[in-house]
Amino acid sequence: MKIPSRAIPSDVVEVLRASRCEGDKLYLPGTLDRKLYARTNEVLASIGGVWKIGKVKAHVFPGNATDALSAALDAGAFSTDKDLNFYATPVDLAARMVKLAGVKPGDKVLEPSAGGAAIARPLRDAGATVFCVEFDEKRAKALCEAGFDAVQADFLSIVPGTIGPFDAIVMNPPFDRGQWRAHLEAAAKLLKPQGRLV
């Protein structure tokens, strides 16, 4: 599956090229009008920058800001969570899903579109051995850094038998354009007999 992306608008490219990077911080070149700032912030957020007010007054990145900015400018495009069909699972819903799955310590459990680990964390807290699949490269890397056994892949490209089988699969699949059905069918093929899919 091709990663959906949008071209970075030319006025935003100008702002980004005029910005200054120091370590993990990116400083914008002065005050921008509200609409230009919103477009610029959307691009910076998509590559990991989080606006910090107070003393910092910069977009702070999880790694080197120059590297993130250079990669975005070289690509000339960006993808937002909405483009990637990513919607975080609320904490209370994730806890309910884990309970419905009847996850026990030692269970081998899959979270196929793991995102920010909203479901994977309570699965691990319940004592499960959790395997994650995540489409977005940055999120997949963050999952690995958080100690999860994770791969970066399109879940629908996973061949049954290469992972699993699992005692349970707990998931929040993409719903846009009916994708949930294909994800559920693919997940069902990775379950052990009597496995649980939530």
Side-chain angles (χ1 to χ4, degrees), residues 9 13 17 21 28 35 38 44 48 71 84 86 131 159 193:
V13 169
R17 288 202 170 130
C21 295
L28 294 172
K35 289 181 180 178
L44 291 173
L84 295 169
F86 172 77
F131 184 78
V159 177

Side-chain angles (χ1 to χ4, degrees), residues 68-92:
L69 181 60
S70 295
L73 289 172
D74 288 348
F78 69 105
S79 298
T80 65
D81 287 347
K82 186 176 179 185
D83 296 327
L84 295 169
N85 207 9
F86 172 77
Y87 297 93
T89 306
V91 173
D92 57 338

Side-chain angles (χ1 to χ4, degrees), residues 109-115 117-120 123 130-133 169-172:
V109 184
L110 170 68
E111 185 187 354
S113 297
I119 298 171
L123 286 169
V130 184
F131 184 78
C132 299
V133 177
I169 299 175
V170 184
M171 62 194 296
N172 177 3

Side-chain angles (χ1 to χ4, degrees), residues 29-194:
T31 304
L32 307 177
D33 78 56
R34 193 171 53 87
K35 289 181 180 178
L36 178 56
Y37 173 79
R39 291 194 307 279
T40 303
N41 186 60
E42 182 181 38
V43 172
L44 291 173
S46 78
I47 62 172
V50 177
W51 174 250
K52 299 285 185 180
I53 56 174
K55 291 182 182 179
V56 178
K57 291 187 181 171
H59 283 81
V60 179
F61 289 79
N64 186 289
T66 301
D67 293 345
L69 181 60
S70 295
L73 289 172
D74 288 348
F78 69 105
S79 298
T80 65
D81 287 347
K82 186 176 179 185
D83 296 327
L84 295 169
N85 207 9
F86 172 77
Y87 297 93
T89 306
V91 173
D92 57 338
L93 180 57
R96 184 171 170 224
M97 293 168 74
V98 171
K99 187 175 181 180
L100 284 170
V103 174
K104 304 178 299 298
D107 278 356
K108 187 176 174 184
V109 184
L110 170 68
E111 185 187 354
S113 297
I119 298 171
R121 280 194 182 88
L123 286 169
R124 183 167 62 186
D125 293 346
T129 299
V130 184
F131 184 78
C132 299
V133 177
E134 172 51 39
F135 182 77
D136 182 66
E137 185 178 358
K138 289 180 282 190
R139 287 193 182 94
K141 183 179 177 187
L143 288 161
C144 291
E145 290 169 354
F148 290 101
D149 188 3
V151 296
Q152 187 270 319
D154 176 356
F155 176 61
L156 296 179
S157 72
I158 300 288
V159 177
T162 58
I163 62 170
F166 297 96
D167 296 296
I169 299 175
V170 184
M171 62 194 296
N172 177 3
F175 284 84
D176 188 42
R177 296 180 309 278
Q179 294 179 69
W180 61 271
R181 183 180 305 278
H183 281 252
L184 287 175
E185 290 170 354
K189 294 175 184 173
L190 300 173
L191 280 172
K192 290 180 180 177
Q194 310 307 311

